[in-house]
Amino acid sequence: MSVTVAGPLPQEVYDVVVVGAGVVGAAIARELARHPLRTALVEASGDVGEGTSKANTAILHTGFDAVPGSLEARLVREGRDRLAVYAEECGIPVEPIGALLVAWDDEQLATLPALARKAARNGYRRTRTVCADELRRREPRLGPGAVGALEVPDESVICPWTTTLAYATQAVRAGVDLHLNCRVREVTEGSRRSPHLLATGRGPLRARWLVNAAGLYADAFDRLLGHTDFSVTPRRGQLMVFDKLARELITHILLPVPTALGKGVLVSPTVYGNVMLGPTAEDLDDKRATGSTAEGLAFLVDKGRRIMPDLLEEEVTAVYAGLRAATEHDDYVIRSHPQQRYVTVGGIRSTGLTASMAIAAHVVGLLDEAGARTGTATDLVPLTMPNLGEAYPRPYERADLIAADPAYGELVCHCERVSRGEIRDALAADIPPSSPEGLRRRTRALGGRCQGFYCGAAVRALFDAATPGMSSPGPEDTR
């Protein structure tokens, strides 16, 4: 088991190197860990899940509105089933609350039967049209003017942070090397008898096979191998997070009728007990533009006022923005290049979390077909992740844990009810956080209504004590 954050890299030749430790790259590394291969997962930042994977809408999709017959449609459908089982096994918080696709005028209402037929073509046949009266009974806080809805009962909310960390942790425990702060700058292609040579910020790395799961930078990495099949246009999604007192306002995920730019602005509960409004869909040029804007937030407020006016009377505890890896194609760009011993995994948009385990199985299949000789797969040792969800008992609520270790009853972050024991465990985990922001994704500390005003100094002291000599990160968004 090896996790490195600095210094020279191992001089061995890996069978497979996966570039990018977001939810998709981590899932691929986990799947490869089931095979008798020497695998490395490399990541440019200091933590897993630092890019798109940490800032999404956290929905476990059914794939009802995917393009029928597309690779995305198949992998979302398969991935949802796989991830639902995996989440239950590992303790990843999931709440199957269902969704209502709300029509606000007769034109939108008229499209609902077509969306139901589209869902059926995608293998999902549990949609149902809901009349205006029933919609109002089920969601009484909806704004005026809703004329009906399409019910999608199997849409769920999930914890994206725990999912990515679970994949990476299980991969590392099974022997995958995780190299952080390891940006790939150049690739010198090998031959059939010699490995690829990757020039990284931490020195050279050698691999017989490469998998590109670099997210927003997947197109740039693809060009290092001589391909120009796609270009990533970062699509910014800004979101607003409302206080836990807003949770009683809503029962389902409330979706708009989708457009060409995406699923549109939704209102959704989170597994952490909040309510989320967003995202926007802004095509940009800058792959680092994760800041929120006055214009974007005003747009969300305007949309929210129509969807659920009462929501805007509640406190906003955080705003944040994520970038999705949109391309000029309407499908995932997953392509095998056997002559180069290379698989690219690009254009994985908002459904990537849901599809992640199916994408991983598909990629390993492509490697095997291309001649990688992946060998026979075996089961991995199960793991149990710390629970971050409000629908399940948290450590501060468990008398058995507190009796065995009083640190689980000593709250450090009172807004989110995070104990000293949880923070201690996260800092000593197989993949520890590299910043207080990473600690927040592992425990929820600093993520509550005070945004660390009360507990920030105590959390920082615990972090610094466990990570002596680690440089302080710059200002970061918190949720």
Side-chain angles (χ1 to χ4, degrees), residues 26-366:
I28 294 169
R30 177 195 170 275
E31 186 67 22
L32 286 167
R34 301 178 60 227
H35 298 261
L37 300 165
R38 282 295 290 132
T39 300
L41 175 62
V42 302
E43 167 59 38
S45 71
D47 202 357
V48 299
E50 273 282 357
T52 298
S53 300
K54 74 176 183 181
N56 54 47
T57 51
I59 293 177
L60 185 58
H61 296 285
T62 59
F64 76 96
D65 60 345
V67 177
S70 65
L71 179 62
E72 180 180 17
R74 176 170 70 83
L75 295 181
V76 169
R77 182 172 63 249
E78 295 175 5
R80 184 200 175 280
D81 294 340
R82 288 173 181 256
L83 183 49
V85 172
Y86 183 73
E88 185 172 0
E89 292 173 350
C90 297
I92 298 170
V94 175
E95 292 186 45
I97 58 177
L100 292 169
L101 195 72
V102 180
W104 294 95
D105 55 43
D106 291 340
E107 183 179 354
Q108 291 183 3
L109 186 66
T111 68
L112 298 185
L115 286 168
R117 292 191 295 271
K118 184 178 185 180
R121 287 158 60 200
N122 282 321
Y124 186 77
R125 296 176 174 82
R126 283 170 45 80
T127 60
R128 185 176 71 88
T129 301
V130 174
C131 69
D133 289 342
E134 181 183 348
L135 176 60
R136 185 65 55 187
R137 287 195 301 271
R138 295 175 66 174
E139 290 291 352
R141 301 300 187 99
L142 267 178
V147 294
L150 185 71
E151 181 184 14
V152 189
D154 298 299
E155 296 276 300
S156 305
V157 291
I158 187 171
C159 177
W161 307 328
T162 307
T163 304
T164 305
L165 187 61
Y167 291 158
T169 299
Q170 203 168 28
V172 165
R173 289 184 180 179
V176 171
D177 288 348
L178 172 62
H179 300 305
L180 301 168
N181 299 312
C182 188
R183 184 180 299 278
V184 178
R185 296 171 175 168
E186 295 180 13
V187 177
T188 301
E189 285 188 54
S191 66
R192 279 290 177 184
R193 296 185 178 181
S194 64
H196 300 292
L197 177 64
L198 283 69
T200 81
R202 292 177 51 197
L205 192 68
R206 294 169 177 83
R208 294 185 177 90
W209 292 82
L210 292 176
V211 176
N212 169 11
L216 290 167
Y217 296 91
D219 57 342
F221 190 91
D222 217 38
R223 283 159 175 72
L224 295 179
L225 277 295
H227 301 286
T228 57
D229 295 343
F230 66 99
S231 295
V232 172
T233 299
R235 182 167 294 161
R236 180 166 60 191
Q238 301 185 51
L239 298 105
M240 302 172 68
V241 180
F242 291 83
D243 187 68
K244 291 173 173 53
L245 294 174
R247 180 61 183 84
E248 66 179 18
L249 297 177
I250 184 172
T251 304
H252 305 81
I253 303 165
L254 301 180
L255 300 172
V257 176
T259 69
L261 279 179
K263 299 180 186 302
V265 174
L266 57 85
V267 177
S268 174
T270 74
V271 294
Y272 320 113
N274 300 87
V275 176
M276 185 167 55
L277 170 66
T280 60
E282 311 157 56
D283 286 343
L284 307 174
D285 296 322
D286 186 354
K287 294 182 179 181
R288 298 170 298 176
T290 57
S292 299
T293 67
E295 294 80 8
L297 298 180
F299 171 82
L300 292 181
V301 167
D302 183 62
K303 291 290 185 180
R305 185 174 291 111
R306 182 178 192 187
I307 300 168
M308 187 168 284
D310 290 349
L311 180 62
L312 299 182
E313 301 301 317
E314 301 294 331
E315 294 286 341
V316 174
T317 61
V319 298
Y320 69 97
L323 299 176
R324 289 157 279 177
T327 73
E328 65 271 38
H329 304 286
D330 61 0
D331 200 356
Y332 294 163
V333 185
I334 303 178
R335 294 174 184 170
S336 175
H337 304 279
Q339 296 303 314
Q340 293 180 294
R341 291 173 287 133
Y342 170 60
V343 175
T344 186
V345 186
I348 311 300
R349 298 173 297 253
S350 60
T351 54
L353 170 62
T354 301
S356 54
M357 296 189 82
I359 292 173
H362 180 64
V363 168
V364 173
L366 291 177

Side-chain angles (χ1 to χ4, degrees), residues 390 394-398 402 408-409 411 416-417 419 422:
E390 285 296 301
R394 300 274 306 288
Y396 78 93
E397 299 173 299
R398 293 184 53 184
I402 296 170
Y408 291 115
L411 293 185
E416 295 295 306
R417 306 292 193 270
S419 68
E422 293 168 90

